[in-house]
Amino acid sequence: MFKNKKIYKIFIMSIFALILLFAAGCSNAAKEQTTETGSKFLMDTLVQMKVTGKNAEKVLNLSFDRIEELENLMSKTLKKSEIYKINHSSEPVEISDDTIKVLNKSIHYAELTSGRFDPSIGPLVELWGIGTEDARVPTEEEIAEAKKLVNYKNIEIDNNKVFLKQKDMQLDLGAIAKGYAADEVKRIAEENNIKSAFVNLGGNVLVIGHKADGSKWRIGIQDPRKNRGNIMAVIKAVDKTIVTSGNYERYFEKNGNIYHHIIDPATGYPADSGLLSVSIISESSFDADALSTSVFILGLEKGMEFIKDQKNVEVLFITEDLKVYLSPGLKGKVEITGEEFELIEGELSGN
Ligand code: ADP
Ligand code: MG
């Protein structure tokens, strides 16, 4: 059949090559269906992920590595972090583009909120110690002293060099770093052709595309009075982030008062705006994280006004009397599942 051995050899090799190609094709097709889930304790919270696609496992690993890398840069407590170095240096410290980006975005929101959101909140956070063994109600004098150190205008940024102009000032990026990390997970997933994924960084939820079965993601809003996992509303979402700030995340109770971890620099006390939680729905988790903390401090009326000026950003408020208020773009899109909660329709009046 074959004129010479050489042609025969080429024929056999081609058949082998075809078989290999076919096998590779099959395994790729099979791989496309893989859904990988994983969780890891990072950035002081439980990070949960679910990724569907050909590169699911790779994306899971790359994402956890990247979050850990960001934690190592921006943690306030890890001695090797850039934030720790800035907080403990008497001269400018050169830092990475990642930390600069997060710091610049923080200063942007500090300016927009007239300093109610402030990345130099560190001394007040440390004084209250909420979430640590040293949590306590400080004295008026202590609060007044720590308050003097909180002022984002004293953060000097020159290219990648950062200097805190006032002695004992301290940066704390706890209100925004997880949002940046969530957007980084999104970037990694998209670079690896993932069309469906879910990530939850302790209240910073981000979804990519639809669920693997083609339906929309159903994101639960935490019931602020109950343990994690108990929800009071559901929002259907595709390619969105939902970030919640609440007074239940880290707090302690004394003499019937709840002291939580979102501090109002204007008073030096935990923000007392009549809210139990604020959820921001948008495309960027980075912005949404800064916004949820900002709006929690601003309260219902001012917060609603503030959100109206932000593009493609929606908000859900839960007040202390269990009323739920929505920004106009969310109307009709939220399913309230908690019986004791009352959805308030219509525009806010009185401002
Ligand atoms: P969580 O980190 O629980 O998801 P937030 O995003 O609202 O909640 O961030 C709260 C954290 O932000 C606090 O633990 C603290 O580190 C920091 N923080 C507290 N008050 C402020 C503030 N006024 N401005 C900026 N950051 C703050
Ligand atoms: Mg936040």
Side-chain angles (χ1 to χ4, degrees):
M1 185 176 162
F2 293 102
K3 285 199 180 111
N4 60 41
K5 264 189 174 174
K6 206 171 169 192
I7 294 178
Y8 178 72
K9 232 176 164 180
I10 289 170
F11 174 75
I12 292 291
M13 274 166 72
S14 312
I15 285 186
F16 261 116
L18 273 176
I19 289 171
L20 276 176
L21 263 177
F22 181 71
C26 284
S27 77
N28 263 350
K31 253 176 153 184
E32 258 160 42
Q33 299 310 315
T34 340
T35 295
E36 299 287 340
T37 55
S39 60
K40 210 167 171 181
F41 197 83
L42 292 167
M43 288 187 138
D44 243 354
T45 195
L46 186 69
V47 181
Q48 297 164 304
M49 285 187 64
K50 182 172 188 172
V51 183
T52 302
K54 219 162 51 174
N55 299 318
E57 199 180 342
K58 178 183 166 199
V59 165
L60 215 65
N61 293 330
L62 285 175
S63 300
F64 285 136
D65 288 352
R66 178 69 174 136
I67 299 170
E68 195 167 347
E69 181 182 18
L70 295 174
E71 178 178 14
N72 288 336
L73 292 175
M74 293 176 216
S75 155
K76 188 167 163 282
T77 46
L78 292 176
K79 291 205 166 90
K80 61 183 168 186
S81 86
E82 293 184 335
I83 292 302
Y84 189 93
K85 282 181 192 145
I86 297 169
N87 286 348
H88 296 87
S89 167
S90 51
E91 51 192 63
V93 178
E94 182 146 8
I95 59 170
S96 63
D97 289 347
D98 284 318
T99 310
I100 282 287
K101 267 190 222 161
V102 177
L103 205 47
N104 278 330
K105 180 79 87 182
S106 304
I107 291 170
H108 169 72
Y109 282 103
E111 282 165 351
L112 280 186
T113 60
S114 311
R116 302 295 280 285
F117 181 95
D118 192 322
S120 69
I121 195 79
L124 279 169
V125 170
E126 194 137 312
L127 180 63
W128 282 90
I130 290 158
T132 73
E133 283 175 0
D134 306 323
R136 67 183 174 95
V137 182
T139 63
E140 292 289 337
E141 291 75 34
E142 286 175 313
I143 289 175
E145 281 306 305
K147 243 176 78 176
K148 282 190 212 155
L149 299 172
V150 179
N151 185 354
Y152 68 94
K153 290 178 185 153
N154 287 331
I155 305 170
E156 198 175 77
I157 303 183
D158 180 12
N159 291 316
N160 274 40
K161 286 200 172 145
V162 179
F163 178 59
L164 304 180
K165 288 204 251 176
Q166 204 175 341
K167 193 175 167 290
D168 295 331
M169 264 181 89
Q170 276 189 50
L171 300 179
D172 178 335
L173 300 181
I176 186 167
K178 280 183 286 195
Y180 181 66
D183 281 355
E184 280 297 282
V185 169
K186 182 178 171 184
R187 181 183 59 76
I188 290 166
E190 285 174 353
E191 278 174 11
N192 286 282
N193 291 318
I194 296 295
K195 302 283 186 288
S196 170
F198 167 93
V199 53
N200 184 1
L201 272 112
N204 281 49
V205 173
L206 185 142
V207 293
I208 295 174
H210 289 77
K211 279 168 71 175
D213 66 6
S215 63
K216 290 184 177 175
W217 294 97
R218 290 170 56 84
I219 302 178
I221 303 288
Q222 166 83 31
D223 183 334
R225 305 159 308 157
K226 297 192 179 152
N227 290 339
R228 209 165 246 192
N230 288 291
I231 61 162
M232 52 65 66
V234 175
I235 299 179
K236 287 187 191 161
V238 178
D239 282 320
K240 285 265 184 282
T241 186
I242 301 192
V243 180
T244 301
S245 282
N247 69 356
Y248 55 86
E249 279 288 339
R250 284 163 221 256
Y251 69 92
F252 71 94
E253 226 171 320
K254 193 157 185 209
N255 301 331
N257 291 320
I258 285 185
Y259 297 99
H260 60 84
H261 72 318
I262 301 173
I263 313 282
D264 185 350
T267 63
Y269 281 80
D272 185 14
S273 50
L275 298 175
L276 291 182
S277 74
V278 169
S279 299
I280 299 286
I281 297 95
S282 100
E283 317 252 294
S284 149
S285 216
F286 194 10
D287 290 274
D289 200 359
L291 285 168
S292 69
T293 311
S294 301
V295 168
F296 187 91
I297 300 170
L298 290 173
L300 177 61
E301 279 83 13
K302 283 193 184 134
M304 192 70 97
E305 278 303 307
F306 182 64
I307 289 302
K308 275 188 190 157
D309 296 335
Q310 311 295 312
K311 267 198 197 140
N312 300 323
V313 176
E314 303 298 336
V315 60
L316 179 154
F317 293 88
I318 306 177
T319 59
E320 279 168 353
D321 53 359
L322 305 188
K323 294 198 164 81
V324 179
Y325 293 84
L326 307 175
S327 56
L330 271 190
K331 301 261 153 83
K333 295 189 176 157
V334 179
E335 182 192 334
I336 305 285
T337 55
E339 280 173 13
E340 296 126 293
F341 292 86
E342 185 191 352
L343 181 62
I344 307 296
E345 311 273 1
E347 293 279 302
L348 275 183
S349 57
N351 60 78

